[in-house]
Amino acid sequence: MRESLGIALDSSSISTALVDADTPLLGSIDEFRHPWGEGGSVPSAPSSARALASAADVAIERASRSHLHPTSVGVTCERADVRDLLPESFSSSAIGNVELVNSLDARLAYLRSVDALAGVSPILAFWPDGSETVIAAIDPIAGTIDSAHRYTSAELLSNSATFTATLDTIVAERDPVPKMLVAMGAPEQTRQMSAVAAERSGLGFTFLGERTQLAIGAALVAAARSTPTSAAPLAVGSGGAAGGAAGLIAGPRRWTPLMLISTLLVLGGLLIGMLFTLAPDNASTATTDPSITENTPSTTVDEHQPENESGDHRTESENADAPGLSGSEWGEIGGSANPPPLFSPPPPESFLPPCDPNFPAAPAGLRRSDPDIPPTSPSPTPDAEDCTPIRQG
């Protein structure tokens, strides 16, 4: 069991969630949601940062009462002024491993933990962000976002016809076609309208009403970053990079004696084979008797050897002793050399799909491209009229 704590600050609340990173499909072990900034009030950045640190201390104390001890903490904060104060706020607490998680990464991690979406890809997911609604084309299996756009919520969710027309426009531009529409943290009153729009567009529908979605996703991302594995590279600052490098270095040293013995055996076999190959067919056996040694000719002519230009026979020993010809070169003259290796051409350059153009105003008024897409997102082209990145959300 590997416990991880997630904390999320949005526009109206502070949420905490304790999850088991080894079994994320079971959901959260313990969660808590505290109202913050309701009624239109916006708390100051220092007070919000202190509130986040206090929420983490309370959640860890609650977990310790059940003999649970989180090994990592993930924090998601949508306010940039509060994020700058988080290192100082958490420095005074007993929490050691704190990871600042992007809200987009937290949503992707949460989607991968939903049992109803197992094996379903790609999908369309939408969630509210202030007075706007974000609709994103997501591949949960790969953990990537292909495109995302913002719409005015009052116009997009005014009726099911407008929402259906907007979904039809997005689906027509996607390849492969999305299989499901997922509502993430959407108001309950939009559930029926979203289900009708999805059915008319030929999509399945899933409503995720979990109020601590960002906290759960932040906990899963923090656990993935802080846990070293042999199959995946370690995250920077996780404290396990040195140990992984030591394992990579110690592995070859352990097999060095066996490799050396194998190499010597192979070389010995090759040497014996070359001696049998280069030895003359009718060469006499060496002896230590001086009388026989004196009567033995220095060279033995093979009757089967081809004649040279002057009609003389040339032995293999003479060929081997010829200056300027080594054993490998003599093998190349004999035609036994292997052809040079062929190099495969480099893969063709992959072209990123163009950035999604602005949708026409008929289905719903498209605000702009959103949000900060990972490097796998499409790059803008001159044809796109408005594709400027916006704030995170």
Side-chain angles (χ1 to χ4, degrees), residues 263-275:
T263 304
L264 293 176
L265 291 177
V266 172
L267 292 178
L270 292 177
L271 180 60
I272 295 175
M274 291 178 61
L275 291 177

Side-chain angles (χ1 to χ4, degrees), residues 105-372:
D105 295 334
R107 286 189 171 92
L108 291 176
Y110 175 74
L111 287 174
R112 290 194 296 270
S113 68
V114 178
D115 192 14
L117 299 179
V120 180
S121 186
I123 64 173
L124 287 181
F126 72 96
W127 59 85
D129 185 15
S131 62
E132 299 175 339
T133 297
V134 179
I135 301 181
I138 300 177
D139 185 353
I141 297 179
T144 58
I145 291 185
D146 295 332
S147 66
H149 298 287
R150 288 182 178 270
Y151 300 87
T152 303
S153 300
E155 181 181 358
L156 177 66
L157 305 177
S158 58
N159 53 69
S160 60
T162 303
F163 199 9
T164 301
T166 305
L167 293 179
D168 290 340
T169 304
I170 298 176
V171 170
E173 295 180 352
R174 305 309 309 167
D175 186 18
V177 177
K179 300 178 181 179
M180 184 175 292
L181 177 66
V182 179
M184 301 184 64
E188 182 66 28
Q189 57 269 23
T190 64
R191 181 171 185 171
Q192 183 63 28
M193 183 192 64
S194 303
V196 173
E199 183 179 1
R200 292 178 179 176
S201 301
L203 303 174
F205 180 71
T206 299
F207 185 86
L208 303 178
E210 179 68 47
R211 305 180 70 181
T212 59
Q213 296 178 12
L214 289 179
I216 295 175
L220 295 176
V221 173
R225 292 179 181 176
S226 60
T227 303
T229 57
S230 58
L234 299 179
V236 177
S238 61
L248 293 177
I249 295 174
R253 291 180 180 177
R254 183 175 58 183
W255 297 100
T256 299
L258 181 59
M259 294 175 61
L260 180 60
I261 295 174
S262 301
T263 304
L264 293 176
L265 291 177
V266 172
L267 292 178
L270 292 177
L271 180 60
I272 295 175
M274 291 178 61
L275 291 177
F276 277 102
T277 302
L278 298 178
D281 295 340
N282 53 356
S284 60
T285 305
T287 179
T288 57
D289 192 354
S291 60
I292 300 178
T293 305
E294 294 175 357
N295 297 330
T296 303
S298 59
T299 59
T300 303
V301 179
D302 189 0
E303 296 178 359
H304 301 284
Q305 293 293 334
E307 297 180 354
N308 53 16
E309 296 181 358
S310 60
D312 298 333
H313 292 277
R314 186 176 182 89
T315 63
E316 291 187 5
S317 59
E318 293 175 351
N319 293 330
D321 297 337
L325 290 178
S326 62
S328 60
E329 294 174 346
W330 177 252
E332 294 176 0
I333 297 175
S336 61
N338 296 327
L342 299 178
F343 297 94
S344 59
E349 297 181 356
S350 57
F351 297 93
L352 296 176
C355 185
D356 293 342
N358 290 342
F359 296 138
L366 175 64
R367 298 287 294 174
R368 47 193 167 178
S369 296
D370 169 73
D372 295 335

Side-chain angles (χ1 to χ4, degrees), residues 21-94:
D22 294 331
T23 57
L25 295 180
L26 297 180
S28 60
I29 303 174
D30 181 35
E31 61 183 38
F32 182 79
R33 188 170 182 267
H34 176 70
W36 187 256
E38 290 185 340
S41 62
V42 180
S44 63
S47 61
S48 298
R50 290 193 301 268
L52 282 174
S54 299
D57 293 335
V58 172
I60 292 178
E61 182 180 356
R62 288 164 58 94
S64 63
R65 294 174 184 174
S66 301
H67 304 284
L68 301 176
H69 305 282
T71 57
S72 59
V73 178
V75 181
T76 298
C77 181
E78 298 181 353
R79 292 178 54 181
D81 55 346
V82 178
R83 287 197 301 267
D84 297 338
L85 301 176
L86 290 180
E88 180 180 356
S89 300
F90 280 92
S91 62
S92 58
S93 62

